[in-house]
Amino acid sequence: MGKTKIVVVGAGYGGLATAVTLQRKVNADNVSITLINKNDYHYETTWLHEAAAGVISANDVCYEIEPLLKDSATFVQATVEALDVDSKQVLTTNGVFNYDYLVVGLGFEVQDYGIPGIKEHAQSISNALSASKIWTHINAQFAMYEKEQSPEYATIVVGGAGFTGIEFIGSLVDQLPKLAQAYHIPQEALRVICAEADTSILPGFSESLSLYAKQQLEARGVEFLTQTAVIGVTDKAVTVRGPQGEEAIAASTLVWTAGVKGSAVIEQSSIPSTGGRVQVLPTLNVADYPEVFVVGDSAIVTDRYHQKPYPPTAQIAMQQGEAIANNLQHLLEDEPLTPFMPNLKGSVCSLGSGDGVALVKEREYTGRKAAVLKKMIDNHALFLVGGPGLIAKKGKFNIFK
Ligand code: FAD
């Protein structure tokens, strides 16, 4: 009998956690694990806002995938074009892969809700490349301001005041004094505007933490427009609609963080999905295709105590990856599958250097304590995937900054 073939698509938090956990559990004589990813590197999605704001480089957020794999696991760099779950095949730019078990961890894509101009003119913080493009774009716009003194070049609009938007703004305002000096822009000419359709910012955090975040950023010059939706964008203006009606803000930069959806590859497959995200069983596989597991942002998992889906987070993606690896081991050993039981430790949102808000184990933290917690979590995520070696290479050591 040949080896059992396990194919994992996507080497984000979920796919990588599945592969590195599974390779420790299986015998390379009987099982082959193939990890397929678009790039030959993994990027720390939770650090992308820092790369987008130029606090760290795109290189700082990436590390090579291949050195993390051993024995039973092989890496293939390829873009997945289709999942043919009826014939148990993955079709990629680098060939067709047959599988006995499939793990799908293709992450998220930008959702533009059909708003005119988002596709053509907005920037997004969705991968290492798009993040570094934002920093390049901002620098180019500020250079234009230095030449032409026209306000749109010094105005940055952020669409969405969720986790991604707020973390980006926090890092961005750290950089503004440096940028103003480099491009000879008076500080008062610089505008950072956050447009949010909801009545408050940072859903998922308590009212007091969200208020703290808003006040801290406002004190650093950020203008919040709540109950205000972005309804159009060109290369020179962002049009918003709020309580005061419509307004075209002269701005040549819109960073769009207000919408994500699942993968188009999933949407086009015969796996039942909603917007490219798959409602999985508590054991993280698909009812119609039990040999297919789905991990991370690609999966919708219902919290059975609160009867609502868990939020798409790196923390949950990594824990699901470990749970899927355990369940694959159970399948290989003819044992029953076990349901996913997350150990939710809380969440921390950075507000730039030395500041943040955190809810950890039901306790709230703000300021430097939250910032320290954030760096400890970042380092812990590296440790889980690559041990002390990866921390030595990519870790955040100045945790009190
Ligand atoms: P991803 O990490 O998105 O990985 C998907 C992988 O699939 C990528 O490697 C991609 O290249 C690959 N891929 C996609 N399509 C294809 C294809 N067709 N072929 C081959 N490969 C493909 N969560 C937290 O818990 N804490 C935080 O502090 C936090 N901060 C965040 C900050 C920002 C700026 C952002 C954007 C997100 C943040 N999140 C945070 C959310 C978290 O990053 C996501 O929930 C997490 O990345 C999901 O992991 P994943 O494995 O599902 O997908």
Side-chain angles (χ1 to χ4, degrees):
M1 215 174 80
K3 289 187 186 187
T4 302
K5 292 191 189 101
I6 300 174
V7 173
V8 180
V9 294
Y13 291 101
L16 199 53
T18 308
V20 297
T21 311
L22 190 61
Q23 69 183 357
R24 295 183 201 124
K25 293 176 176 284
V26 296
N27 182 340
D29 295 335
N30 307 325
V31 178
S32 75
I33 304 165
T34 307
L35 175 61
I36 303 174
N37 194 60
K38 209 177 266 184
N39 308 300
D40 60 358
Y41 56 83
H42 163 92
Y43 46 81
E44 291 286 298
T45 311
T46 61
W47 305 7
L48 288 180
H49 59 282
E50 294 181 80
V55 174
I56 55 177
S57 74
N59 192 40
D60 291 330
V61 305
C62 298
Y63 53 83
E64 273 184 273
I65 295 165
E66 197 147 29
L68 301 169
L69 303 184
K70 56 180 186 192
D71 305 334
S72 52
T74 315
F75 175 67
V76 175
Q77 184 178 357
T79 296
V80 175
E81 295 179 317
L83 301 171
D84 183 349
V85 287
D86 297 305
S87 334
K88 296 193 184 174
Q89 287 187 325
V90 175
L91 284 67
T92 80
T93 49
N94 200 357
V96 175
F97 295 82
N98 298 306
Y99 63 80
D100 298 299
Y101 297 106
L102 174 67
V103 182
V104 183
L106 295 175
F108 64 92
E109 292 179 9
V110 174
Q111 165 74 283
D112 67 5
Y113 303 109
I115 300 167
I118 297 263
K119 228 180 244 144
E120 299 79 5
H121 302 294
Q123 313 287 323
S124 76
I125 310 181
S126 40
N127 54 52
L129 202 63
S130 76
S132 77
K133 270 191 193 154
I134 293 176
W135 179 235
T136 308
H137 176 87
I138 290 172
N139 276 272
Q141 301 315 298
F142 283 13
M144 285 297 288
Y145 184 90
E146 192 177 17
K147 249 202 266 164
E148 300 192 3
Q149 315 279 303
S150 193
E152 72 268 23
Y153 297 120
T155 304
I156 296 167
V157 177
V158 177
F163 223 97
T164 307
I166 294 301
E167 289 206 312
F168 170 65
I169 291 171
S171 293
L172 179 67
V173 289
D174 279 349
Q175 296 287 74
L176 288 184
K178 237 193 291 175
L179 284 170
Q181 204 180 17
Y183 294 102
H184 309 103
I185 305 177
Q187 191 77 35
E188 59 282 5
L190 293 175
R191 289 182 77 191
V192 177
I193 301 167
C194 180
E196 166 57 55
D198 208 341
T199 49
S200 60
I201 72 166
L202 281 182
F205 284 93
S206 67
E207 213 177 304
S208 62
L209 287 183
S210 112
L211 190 66
Y212 172 90
K214 186 161 178 269
Q215 286 171 344
Q216 289 295 99
L217 294 174
E218 278 174 341
R220 299 166 74 197
V222 178
E223 301 166 48
F224 282 97
L225 304 175
T226 49
Q227 293 179 276
T228 300
V230 171
I231 57 167
V233 52
T234 67
D235 58 343
K236 298 253 182 324
V238 178
T239 304
V240 295
R241 188 187 293 133
Q244 260 77 55
E246 280 184 23
E247 184 194 353
I249 302 167
S252 60
T253 306
L254 169 67
V255 178
W256 180 245
T257 69
V260 291
K261 59 176 180 166
S263 158
V265 172
I266 296 177
E267 213 168 7
Q268 286 149 18
S269 77
S270 36
I271 305 173
S273 72
T274 312
R277 300 188 71 213
V278 183
Q279 177 73 57
V280 289
L281 298 168
T283 43
L284 303 179
N285 50 345
V286 181
D288 295 355
Y289 299 94
E291 67 285 359
V292 177
F293 289 79
V294 188
V295 67
D297 287 6
S298 297
I300 303 172
V301 184
T302 306
D303 173 350
R304 58 185 154 152
Y305 299 112
H306 301 99
Q307 289 310 314
K308 51 180 196 182
Y310 291 112
T313 66
Q315 183 187 169
I316 288 189
M318 291 182 84
Q319 292 186 17
Q320 286 174 344
E322 288 171 21
I324 289 173
N326 289 335
N327 271 342
L328 283 166
Q329 187 189 21
H330 292 327
L331 282 170
L332 295 168
E333 293 171 0
D334 268 338
E335 286 171 5
L337 301 185
T338 52
F340 173 60
M341 299 286 284
N343 173 11
L344 297 178
K345 299 188 174 90
S347 46
V348 187
C349 176
S350 159
L351 300 174
S353 176
D355 201 2
V357 290
L359 175 68
V360 177
K361 295 277 173 210
E362 319 236 322
R363 279 191 65 183
E364 294 192 344
Y365 302 85
T366 56
R368 193 161 295 278
K369 276 189 193 153
V372 170
L373 280 168
K374 180 87 184 173
K375 289 196 177 159
M376 285 166 61
I377 291 168
D378 288 347
N379 286 337
H380 183 62
L382 290 175
F383 179 78
L384 289 178
V385 172
L390 192 55
I391 297 213
K393 262 196 222 152
K394 293 285 171 181
K396 294 184 171 175
F397 297 111
N398 192 356
I399 64 167
F400 295 105
K401 199 175 153 225

